[in-house]
Amino acid sequence: MRQDRGVIQAGNGSSLLIQGGQFIQHNYPPTHNADDVFNRLKPYVAPTAYATQQEGDAPKCHPRTREAVLNAIMTWMTIAITGIQRILWLNGAAGAGKSAIARSIVDLCLKQQIVIARFFFFRTDSARNHTKPLVATFAYQLITLIPALNPIILDKIRSDPLIFNQSLEHQFEALVFEPLRQLHGAIPFKQVIVLLLDGVDECGGYDNQVNVIRTIAQFVAEKSVPLIVIFSSRVESQLKMAFNSPKIDCILERLPLDTDYRAADDIRHFLDDSFTEIKHTHPFKSSIEHDWPTPSLVQEIVDKSSMQFIYASVVVKFVSSPRFHPARQLDIIRGLRPAGDLTPFAQLDALYRHIFSQVHDIDSVIAILAVAILSRYPFRFHIREMLDIAQDDIDVTLVDLGSVISCDMQKITFLHASLPDFLLDPARSGQRFYIDVGIWGEKLALTLLSKQEFLRGWDALVPYLTYAKCTPRLMKELYMFHPSKYTDWHIFSDDWTTFINTVGNMDFGDGGALYCHHVKLEHQVEETIMPEAYQIRETALLRAVHTPRKALRWARFKICLYRIFHR
């Protein structure tokens, strides 16, 4: 280390500006050379946790994308040290691109010679999916970036050789916080120091996640060192509680990615660039049509992405495979061509399976999501009525799915439009998370038929019947069902027509007897309410040369014409 005009060279092309004060050089015996601290730290450091890029990690942001959110973060960094909010929580749904943003922030800081120590948690990497290497990894980076910390941290390790067996709080205090205080007290830092922790939700153990946040926040709140911190994670209940703590909330800036930040435009730009590259580089480029994919197909992918980058990334990765034709791969993605042995959504499915594996009461979750997916009412009041549960039960049941599902006071919203596809496909979701539409359609239709006071119209019942498995029990209940008993079912509206047509499309193996039964019920009501309309139907039936079922449909068509011209 050398001191040159008040600037201490910090290594790796960075510099930390220190002006004024008195600098004290610690000289240790020759047996303890400058590399001694690194040698003592190395066994406890997780190199993959701070490296620029590792296999399996999220890439940095695609060029000319996420500029709005990156600018927002860099702007916050320039003013945070002079303000109150010295902690930033970058949060968003699973697959929103948080890690890509975090890696891009690291790059920007390094280019601007801002001292930034980082730790990227990663669930499937045993070296960095827990807190044990966290402090040593931070200390190692800080020594590299600020060499003046070397003798101070070495002294701490020498005085307590078993320090890495101590609690996380003790390690942070001894190897990070106190060394920074000591050096800042001797020679004040004139440049901000940044700690970045990405994927906090991927750190094993909810208590460990909360402990990391509280330990660091407590030091930041002292304001004894010009230090700011960026946490990046999904919006999960234990993390929301930690950040909602009054002691943390008062120094916290929240940056939710679901505020848009032009995500849809960025995804479209990413797709356009990616498809252009495929058309220029793919081995089968000569057989790719010039206008492939059309803007409408690109927009279809953008819509399916639901402002989450992971879906678009998965699509591009699958379509760009050099072994298969890109246009055919895209047809598989869209469900227009069988996938065969291919697994187009393997990465996405692994994410969904992990998230659902953390759910406490999976059976109740599946029931709620079945109602939300199969009905036209993903609203809380409908779910409560259908499942006979309390208002709070929905929030408690879905608490572990905050990264893929939003549940406000009115309705349930899927943050990933592709999540229902996963749940409805047994090959993707597996037996544990699979929602069988036939079974659930029948079950929910029977439930609704039994709640006669709640049955308000066809738009509640018909969606379930559309999916329902045709069982003897359901057929029996439908025989007993008389729509005219309900005030919202009008013989001259489309309600009854839609219901009867839906029943007609169901195959109970009865030769259409149930369908004819409900048509006759409609005849009886029409004969009472509008004899003229009934006469039209009888005339049509007498003249029909079709099969009885087709004759009934032809008669219904004639009735519809009558309704149009006699309103």
Side-chain angles (χ1 to χ4, degrees):
M1 179 206 71
R2 75 174 190 273
Q3 183 175 359
D4 183 17
R5 296 184 182 179
V7 178
I8 294 180
Q9 297 300 322
N12 286 355
S14 299
S15 62
L16 184 67
L17 181 62
I18 302 178
Q19 296 179 341
Q22 181 181 5
F23 179 72
I24 301 175
Q25 174 77 40
H26 294 271
N27 295 310
Y28 294 104
T31 54
H32 299 286
N33 57 42
D35 293 332
D36 194 12
V37 65
F38 290 104
N39 294 330
R40 289 174 180 262
L41 278 172
K42 280 180 182 178
Y44 305 97
V45 172
T48 57
Y50 68 91
T52 304
Q53 188 75 42
Q54 294 293 316
E55 183 178 356
D57 283 341
K60 292 184 283 292
C61 297
H62 186 75
R64 295 186 292 120
T65 66
R66 311 320 301 263
E67 291 179 346
V69 67
L70 291 174
N71 289 337
I73 295 174
M74 297 304 293
T75 299
W76 170 82
M77 289 175 59
T78 61
I79 62 176
I81 201 62
T82 60
I84 298 175
Q85 297 166 318
R86 295 193 174 195
I87 296 178
L88 177 72
W89 182 26
L90 174 67
N91 60 79
K98 299 178 294 297
S99 294
I101 292 171
R103 292 190 179 280
S104 294
I105 288 295
V106 171
D107 272 8
L108 290 172
C109 287
L110 294 177
K111 290 177 182 178
Q112 299 180 27
Q113 295 190 336
I114 297 174
V115 174
I116 180 167
R118 59 274 185 190
F119 195 100
F120 287 86
F121 289 101
F122 196 55
R123 173 174 48 85
T124 59
D125 186 347
S126 60
R128 51 183 171 127
N129 59 6
H130 51 91
T131 60
K132 193 171 183 180
L134 181 61
V135 176
T137 304
F138 273 139
Y140 187 92
Q141 294 175 78
L142 288 173
I143 292 172
T144 303
L145 297 168
I146 312 173
L149 289 171
N150 189 325
I152 303 175
I153 293 178
L154 175 60
D155 187 48
K156 299 290 184 181
I157 297 176
R158 289 175 61 233
S159 63
D160 186 3
L162 299 180
I163 191 170
F164 296 108
N165 295 324
Q166 301 289 346
S167 68
L168 182 77
E169 299 92 327
H170 182 80
Q171 291 184 51
F172 258 120
E173 179 62 29
L175 299 180
V176 177
F177 301 154
E178 180 54 32
L180 288 174
R181 285 195 204 98
Q182 185 174 332
L183 184 59
H184 182 59
I187 309 175
F189 300 145
K190 297 301 181 181
Q191 187 183 25
V192 67
I193 299 172
V194 184
L195 297 185
L196 185 148
L197 296 90
D198 177 68
V200 181
D201 53 285
E202 300 203 25
C203 170
Y206 290 172
D207 291 341
N208 293 331
Q209 298 171 15
V210 173
N211 191 32
V212 167
I213 295 171
R214 289 177 177 173
T215 300
I216 295 177
Q218 184 176 357
F219 173 67
V220 173
E222 294 178 8
K223 299 184 180 179
S224 57
V225 174
L227 177 78
I228 61 175
V229 183
I230 300 175
F231 291 104
S232 172
S233 75
R234 302 170 191 161
V235 184
E236 298 194 351
S237 55
Q238 73 280 4
L239 300 179
K240 289 170 66 176
M241 288 185 64
F243 287 116
N244 286 339
S245 169
K247 293 182 179 179
I248 299 177
D249 184 60
C250 64
I251 57 173
L252 180 68
E253 174 77 12
R254 302 168 190 263
L255 200 160
L257 290 179
D258 58 8
T259 312
D260 189 4
Y261 285 104
R262 299 203 304 264
D265 292 339
D266 287 341
I267 291 173
R268 187 181 299 104
H269 176 71
F270 164 70
L271 290 170
D272 288 339
D273 283 358
S274 299
F275 285 130
T276 298
E277 182 177 359
I278 290 172
K279 289 192 288 188
H280 283 89
T281 63
H282 200 278
F284 300 139
K285 63 181 182 180
S286 61
S287 60
I288 300 177
E289 296 182 7
H290 176 73
D291 60 348
W292 176 91
T294 62
S296 62
L297 290 186
V298 174
Q299 186 60 45
E300 181 181 312
I301 300 172
V302 172
D303 294 340
K304 198 76 170 181
S305 295
S306 304
M307 295 194 299
Q308 318 304 339
F309 263 80
I310 188 171
Y311 183 84
S313 177
V314 166
V315 169
V316 169
K317 184 177 180 180
F318 185 72
V319 172
S320 63
S321 171
R323 299 178 57 198
F324 304 98
H325 195 284
R328 295 177 182 176
Q329 294 291 87
L330 186 56
D331 284 344
I332 292 175
I333 287 285
R334 301 177 63 213
L336 303 179
R337 185 185 295 266
D341 295 333
L342 301 177
T343 54
F345 300 107
Q347 180 185 356
L348 199 58
D349 294 347
L351 172 65
Y352 291 154
R353 283 194 293 268
H354 167 70
I355 292 172
F356 275 81
S357 69
Q358 308 301 306
V359 170
H360 175 67
D361 186 358
I362 191 62
D363 292 336
S364 296
V365 165
I366 293 300
I368 291 174
L369 297 185
V371 177
I373 293 173
L374 300 187
S375 76
R376 296 181 181 176
Y377 290 108
F379 298 101
R380 296 174 73 104
F381 78 87
H382 182 71
I383 294 171
R384 287 191 291 108
E385 291 284 353
M386 289 297 297
L387 302 179
D388 195 21
I389 57 179
Q391 175 88 338
D392 294 340
D393 289 341
I394 298 177
D395 297 314
V396 172
T397 302
L398 300 180
V399 68
D400 295 319
L401 296 178
S403 60
V404 290
I405 291 174
S406 172
C407 186
D408 58 26
M409 295 302 296
Q410 298 296 327
K411 64 178 181 178
I412 291 176
T413 303
F414 289 94
L415 300 178
H416 287 227
S418 61
L419 180 56
D421 297 338
F422 165 80
L423 295 170
L424 300 180
D425 187 342
R428 296 177 61 186
S429 56
Q431 184 177 0
R432 187 179 180 191
F433 309 129
Y434 172 50
I435 295 178
D436 188 320
V437 296
I439 293 175
W440 277 103
E442 182 226 7
K443 182 177 181 179
L444 295 172
L446 289 171
T447 299
L448 197 54
L449 288 169
S450 68
K451 293 177 177 289
Q452 296 184 3
E453 74 285 354
F454 184 63
L455 189 56
R456 299 186 176 93
W458 69 270
D459 51 348
L461 177 60
V462 166
Y464 298 134
L465 293 179
T466 301
Y467 295 107
K469 184 179 181 181
C470 299
T471 63
R473 182 184 175 188
L474 180 58
M475 182 171 67
K476 178 181 176 181
E477 293 295 328
L478 287 174
Y479 263 114
M480 298 172 60
F481 175 62
H482 199 314
S484 64
K485 296 179 180 179
Y486 304 97
T487 57
D488 284 350
W489 290 62
H490 301 297
I491 193 66
F492 302 116
S493 71
D494 291 333
D495 293 10
W496 207 338
T497 302
T498 303
F499 167 72
I500 294 180
N501 287 340
T502 301
V503 171
N505 291 328
M506 301 177 72
D507 185 8
F508 286 96
D510 61 348
L514 179 62
Y515 173 78
C516 293
H517 167 73
H518 278 287
V519 171
K520 290 178 180 178
L521 289 180
E522 186 183 23
H523 287 182
Q524 295 172 3
V525 177
E526 287 181 352
E527 184 179 14
T528 302
I529 298 176
M530 183 174 282
E532 298 93 337
Y534 178 75
Q535 186 60 43
I536 290 176
R537 180 185 300 280
E538 291 301 304
T539 302
L541 286 173
L542 289 173
R543 295 179 178 178
V545 293
H546 309 289
T547 63
R549 188 163 182 169
K550 288 183 178 180
L552 291 174
R553 291 180 177 175
W554 171 249
R556 290 193 57 78
F557 173 72
K558 299 284 288 184
I559 291 294
C560 289
L561 292 178
Y562 182 90
R563 291 170 181 168
I564 292 173
F565 293 106
H566 290 80
R567 285 181 177 177

